[in-house]
Each structure stands twice: as structure tokens, then as C-alpha cells.
Amino acid sequence: MAINLDDPKKFKPLVGQAHQVAMNMLRPISRKYDRAEHAYPQELDMLAAMIDGLSESGASEGAGAAGVRRDEKDTDKTVKNGANLASVMSIAEMCWGDVGLLLSMPRQGLGNSAIASVADDEQQKRLEGVWAGMAITEPGVGSDSANIKTTAVLDGDEYVINGEKIYVTSGDRADHIVVWATLDRDLGRAAIKSFVVAKGTPGMRVDRLEHKLGIRASDTATIIFENCRVPKENLLGSAEVDTKQGFAGAMATFDNTRPLVAAMAVGCARASLDLTRDLLKDAGIEVDYDRPAILQSAAAAKFLQMESDWEGAYLLMMQAAWMADNREPNSLEASMAKAKAGRVGSDITLSCVELAGSVGYSETELLEKWARDSKILDIFEGTQQIQQLIVARRVLGLSSGELK
């Protein structure tokens, strides 16, 4: 299949709507909720209702969290621009407005993407409309999700979950949490499964909320599980431990969420570039796209270099999402998009602060906020270093045991 580098025309109305929401609803309250950390943005309830309405009417493909369904047999060989591509394009526009507010949107959590990727048809229907956070990271485990210690032991018709999860995005506000736990530590990666736990389930409690550098509008929680009993039907996908498949079932979630995080970085970086271009113009510095950078001022040359880096991140993001829509394995491309966009996002937002000088560093503009917000996008859903490791393994054809 060939990929067309032009934006799909059918998504232009969706992208336009997302841009209007970002400009008229998110930007105006961006600073307010950056300062009021942990306060729930009430304005998002109306926005969530609007998105639900668009999804139900069929007017907005990609308004909700999409998924990568590895198990689906697709006999239709036509090239598709579907929900994954629509999602990354709309998310990039929303994050042009505010990353933290986008992450606070009801029913749009990363756990929703996990459900969309791993749940079977019955679970998809039963869990429709939930707001799900995703609990992966644990104290002392770091970036290697395969080493998680949280356990899930089958007892009759229920799994008993014990463990501690940290840095759970929307961990306090979401009504469900997708928890990664191991059925048997001795079986390694293959025994790791994800479970949907409803808020209010006995044995599950939010221990604390984190104070953070950026995305302050989004709540980030520590959640404790102590003999938390969950119906066995809430294990997402198959309960079978397939040592040959290894970590693939769990990683299907990342194949979906990493392009979404890349989209967040792309949107935030685009906001910084757009504002910085205007600030440079006000200072008498015109960026000329038709002249070599070497013939322009240092500021204009730097800006052109950032634009080219941004374009690379954008196209990698689009490729990873397009491959998901067309049922092509995209683990390599998802990690490439996340690595490129995460690094470029931080580089661009910090460089824009530098180019704008005192205006960039002060709170008179949102540039300093975007620089703070963008850093997490190079860390969560797999750090820059982990993405490079995954890319190296895929390119060289080595296993995780062979290349650590």
C-alpha cells in the first residue's frame, strides 16, 4: 500500500472543529487551570457532551479514543483513512490549545485506548461510555513495564489485585482504571494482563495527587490496590498465558497510544512555532521559506530548522496512525513517531522560549507553559531512551534479551 502525504480531505471539517475548540475554549482557560492545579476544569463537561453528540451522530470519526485491533481479519484491501488517523489529527489540534486540558477530557483517557485495543467485542459493548485512566508505572520499576510487580490472582470468579501504581493520568477523576498486573511473576512478560477496575471497588484507593512541572490541569495520581477483587470478566482480552506471544498483547496498547502522545507533542510544538513566528515578525524578523537559511538572520535560520524537525515528527505520527487504520503492524513506526515527536517537541518549545527572550520566559505569553507541558510527552508512554531501544531492536532484528 502507498501512503499519501496530503492530509485526508474528509477530516478537514473535524480538524477545523478541533482547532476552533482549541482556540475558543481551551486557550482562554489554559493559564487559569495551570495555576489552579488539581481543580477540575468544569468547562470540559460541556465540551465532552459536544464530542459525545458528534460521535453518536456519526458526524465525527475519531472523536473518541481509537484502538489497534490486531486480531481483526480485514479482507477489504482498499486504503483507509480511519479513526486512528482522525484521532491524531484532532488531538494535535486540541493540544495546540492545551495539553493538560486535553488529557482531562472525560471519556478520552489513555485507558480508553487500551480498552479499544485489547478488549473483546463483549467487553467493548459493556464498557462503552466509561472514562478510563491507565495504571502501568510502579515505584522502583521505571521504564521497563515488563517488570511490574502488581499481582492478580484468580480466586473463584474474581481476580484479587495487590500492588501500587504511580503517575496515573486522570487517576482521581476517571471512573475506571485499566490496571496492568501479572498473573504469575515466574512466567515473565507473557503473564502481564490488563484489568478494568471500577472506581469505588473495595481495596482500591487514590493515595495522593502529584504536583508537577507541566500539564497541571491534568490530575496525576498514586493508586493503591489491597486485596482488590475484580470480576474475572474484567480481564481485557484473553486470560491465556502464551509464552510464545510474550508481551505482544500488552504492547498492542502502546502501538495505539504512542502515536496519540506524538500527536500531543506535535500540537504543542505547533502552538509554540505559530506564536514565535508572530513575535519574530513583530520584532522585524521575517522568516522567508523561499531563501536558504544561511542567507537569513540567526533567529530565522533557527526557526526554519525547527520547522523541518516538526515536519518530520508530524509525518511519522501520520504514518503510524495510517498503518493502524490499515491493519499493518506499526510497533516500529509508533516508537519512531513517539521518539521523534517527544524530543522535537521539547527542543522546539524550549528554543521558542529562547528566541522570544524575556517575553518567552515570562507569563505574559504561554510559551513558558508550553515548554513545561511538552517535557512529559518525551517521558510518559515510554521514555525517549526506551523508544530508541525498541527501534534498535526492530531494525536489527534482536530480542529484548539480546539488546538491553
Side-chain angles (χ1 to χ4, degrees):
M1 291 184 184
I3 183 171
N4 188 328
L5 297 180
D6 292 331
D7 292 351
K9 290 180 181 177
K10 72 173 182 175
F11 294 148
K12 285 188 176 178
L14 171 66
V15 170
Q17 289 169 353
H19 187 79
Q20 290 300 315
V21 167
M23 182 167 58
N24 298 317
M25 297 183 74
L26 301 188
R27 282 275 182 101
I29 61 174
S30 185
R31 183 67 72 184
K32 171 184 175 182
Y33 287 106
D34 181 53
R35 288 175 173 152
E37 188 171 16
H38 300 156
Y40 176 66
Q42 300 290 341
E43 294 90 339
L44 294 182
D45 287 338
M46 181 177 70
L47 182 54
M50 273 175 42
I51 290 176
D52 288 343
L54 287 170
S55 295
E56 288 169 11
S57 68
S60 178
E61 183 174 12
V68 178
R69 301 296 296 277
R70 290 172 181 254
D71 58 338
E72 287 187 10
K73 297 292 184 286
D74 194 350
T75 56
D76 183 0
K77 298 301 180 184
T78 58
V79 174
K80 297 180 189 65
N81 295 320
N84 289 281
L85 202 56
S87 290
V88 295
M89 293 178 71
S90 57
I91 283 171
E93 288 298 334
M94 295 285 275
C95 289
W96 183 89
D98 191 281
V99 176
L101 291 171
L102 181 277
L103 286 167
S104 301
M105 287 284 295
R107 294 176 296 286
Q108 303 296 312
L110 293 172
N112 289 91
S113 292
I115 293 170
S117 296
V118 185
D120 60 33
D121 291 340
E122 182 277 327
Q123 291 170 330
Q124 297 271 4
K125 188 172 182 180
R126 175 160 50 90
L127 296 169
E128 188 177 357
V130 306
W131 180 5
M134 189 151 67
I136 302 174
T137 309
E138 298 178 359
V141 172
S143 294
D144 191 355
S145 300
N147 283 333
I148 62 176
K149 304 293 191 294
T150 298
T151 57
V153 178
L154 186 60
D155 181 21
D157 290 334
E158 296 175 314
Y159 282 99
V160 182
I161 300 177
N162 282 282
E164 178 182 356
K165 295 292 184 179
I166 57 176
Y167 304 132
V168 183
T169 303
S170 299
D172 188 40
R173 297 171 186 163
D175 48 53
H176 288 69
I177 301 293
V178 175
V179 185
W180 287 29
T182 179
L183 301 179
D184 187 338
R185 287 183 184 171
D186 294 334
L187 293 179
R189 294 164 171 256
I192 294 172
K193 302 291 181 180
S194 45
F195 302 80
V196 179
V197 185
K199 275 293 182 58
T201 301
M204 172 189 181
R205 75 173 191 276
V206 175
D207 194 52
R208 69 174 185 274
L209 298 179
E210 303 292 345
H211 294 282
K212 308 186 296 296
L213 173 73
I215 58 165
R216 290 179 177 170
S218 170
D219 67 310
T220 304
T222 292
I223 302 180
I224 307 293
F225 298 89
E226 292 177 332
N227 296 321
C228 180
R229 304 185 75 89
V230 180
K232 67 178 183 180
E233 293 80 15
N234 282 24
L235 183 153
L236 291 177
S238 171
E240 181 184 353
V241 176
D242 184 351
T243 53
K244 291 180 181 177
Q245 184 191 35
F247 206 34
M251 289 307 293
T253 297
F254 281 143
D255 295 344
N256 174 230
T257 57
R258 283 171 176 161
L260 301 183
V261 176
M264 295 173 198
V266 162
C268 189
R270 184 74 258 164
S272 294
L273 287 170
D274 289 348
L275 177 55
T276 300
R277 188 197 297 107
D278 291 342
L279 292 172
L280 289 175
K281 186 176 182 180
D282 291 344
I285 300 170
E286 288 275 4
V287 179
D288 189 342
Y289 293 92
D290 295 323
R291 292 170 60 216
I294 198 170
L295 299 179
Q296 300 187 56
S297 68
K302 176 66 177 177
F303 191 88
L304 287 170
Q305 174 249 311
M306 291 192 294
E307 284 272 23
S308 65
D309 277 346
W310 181 88
E311 190 76 21
Y314 177 81
L315 291 174
L316 284 168
M317 170 200 82
M318 295 285 279
Q319 180 190 28
W322 180 88
M323 291 176 73
D325 281 336
N326 288 278
R327 301 288 179 254
E328 293 189 9
N330 73 333
S331 295
L332 170 64
E333 290 77 12
S335 284
M336 289 171 67
K338 168 69 168 64
K340 176 72 172 178
R343 184 177 68 250
V344 163
S346 284
D347 288 348
I348 286 176
T349 52
L350 274 174
S351 294
C352 286
V353 167
E354 186 178 338
L355 282 177
S358 58
V359 173
Y361 198 72
S362 72
E363 291 190 358
T364 55
E365 299 287 355
L366 288 168
L367 284 173
E368 59 81 29
K369 179 185 180 299
W370 294 332
R372 288 187 286 109
D373 287 347
S374 68
K375 188 59 205 173
I376 190 58
L377 305 176
D378 199 25
I379 297 173
F380 69 7
E381 296 298 290
T383 63
Q384 175 70 213
Q385 294 76 14
I386 288 294
Q387 303 308 329
Q388 291 186 22
L389 190 57
I390 292 169
V391 170
R393 287 170 182 162
R394 297 279 180 178
V395 171
L396 299 173
L398 299 175
S399 68
S400 56
E402 292 169 322
L403 183 59
K404 296 182 179 180

